[in-house]
Amino acid sequence: MAFFSCLAWLYVAGRLWQDAENRKVLTNLLYKNSLQRPKILTVEDKLTVLGCRDLERRIVEAEMELTLAKSQGYLNKQLQQSGSSSGKKLLAVIGVYTGFGSRLKRNVFRGSWMPKGDALRKLEERGVVIRFVIGRSANRGDSLDRNINEENRSTKDFLILEGHEEAQEELPKKAKFFLSTAVQKWDADFFVKVDDNIDLDLEALIGLLERRRGQDGAYIGCMKSGDVISEEGKPWYEPDWWKFGDEKSYFRHAGSALIILSKNLAQYVNINSASLKTYAHDDTSVGSWMMGLQATYIDDNRLCCSSIRQDKVCSLA
């Protein structure tokens, strides 16, 4: 009986030891599997996820509001405070497009409708800045750039667009560079683009702008539209003619000779210049930018330079 009792005890002890080892192995396997299985979210975890989603939604809404504010011409505080170099609110900045080979034209302007020297500074005291607008040569620092720098040191009446290459094929982009540079340099109610082939009645233009002062969203000019030229090689050819529909007609836009934008429209161009599409001509490019905005189109026949009106503001030079 003692012998059989010992055998029974050894058997039971062996089974218990084997079961303990099996339980240990199973416990390790279950632990490893639990690490690989998805975590069961508690109520607190679910609330955290919902909070993140709510925060993400509010971020998206804030970004949409910021985009809307930018589209309406609002700038960040730093840019708004840049203003003009004198800190004075101006009526207008007038940019006269010019080129490297147009020195004779510039001299003619300086002797006619455009003041020079002390008279130019007195005009700025009245709130009107006039500058010849030009980019840089494709070969930076060459004789073309040096001649412009030398002329500017003498006359101090240039706005040099450092990021713009002065070339005929780059002319549509010049409007973006001019408006972006001018709106950061001066705090003015209006920004005016003028071609170098017209003469201005400067006092009449100032009077026109004075009467419009404080009007946001003003897009002023000699409004026109016309056929889109789709035949390559013809004057005024538009490579993107197919974008203008079956009738191939341009939308309403201010003619190239003289274009006036209020401050908030110029700010819009500055903010969004990187994404604004340009077409073959600068006036249709500016017109396309205005189409998606709450701009007030002001068609003024006095700004039609080829008009026969006696009280016109500009005339062909």
Side-chain angles (χ1 to χ4, degrees), residues 49-210:
V49 171
L50 292 175
C52 290
R53 289 178 179 174
D54 182 64
L55 180 60
E56 182 181 4
R57 176 182 58 80
R58 283 184 287 171
I59 291 173
V60 171
E61 291 176 352
E63 289 176 344
M64 293 174 65
E65 291 175 358
L66 179 61
T67 301
L68 178 61
K70 286 184 176 181
S71 70
Q72 294 174 345
Y74 295 103
L75 294 174
N76 59 43
K77 188 175 181 181
Q78 179 180 359
L79 191 54
Q80 285 179 331
Q81 290 179 344
S82 62
S84 60
S85 56
S86 64
K88 180 182 178 182
K89 179 76 171 182
L90 301 172
L91 172 64
V93 174
I94 302 173
V96 183
Y97 279 20
T98 190
F100 292 117
S102 301
R103 183 160 188 166
L104 180 59
K105 284 185 179 180
R106 293 194 289 271
N107 289 334
V108 171
F109 285 170
R110 293 185 185 110
S112 57
W113 64 266
M114 181 176 173
K116 57 182 179 180
D118 291 338
L120 186 64
R121 286 187 287 275
K122 289 181 180 179
L123 182 65
E124 293 180 10
E125 293 175 0
R126 290 180 56 191
V128 178
V129 170
I130 304 178
R131 293 290 186 272
F132 288 112
V133 181
I134 193 169
R136 285 301 191 184
S137 169
N139 302 312
R140 292 297 181 95
D142 62 7
S143 60
L144 297 176
D145 282 346
R146 292 195 300 272
N147 290 340
I148 291 296
N149 291 339
E150 181 63 30
E151 186 177 350
N152 187 38
R153 279 192 288 270
S154 173
T155 60
K156 296 180 175 58
D157 57 6
F158 277 89
L159 176 60
I160 301 175
L161 308 176
E162 297 293 343
H164 175 64
E165 180 183 324
E166 190 66 36
Q168 184 63 35
E169 63 273 14
E170 297 295 322
L171 184 60
K173 298 178 182 178
K174 193 170 183 176
K176 292 198 293 185
F177 283 95
F178 163 56
L179 292 170
S180 294
T181 305
V183 82
Q184 293 180 65
K185 187 175 178 64
W186 293 287
D187 182 15
D189 286 322
F190 297 99
F191 294 84
V192 185
K193 175 261 179 178
V194 177
D195 278 346
D196 65 352
N197 61 348
I198 64 171
D199 287 324
L200 276 181
D201 183 341
L202 188 57
E203 290 300 324
L205 177 61
I206 293 174
L208 183 154
L209 296 177
E210 283 282 6

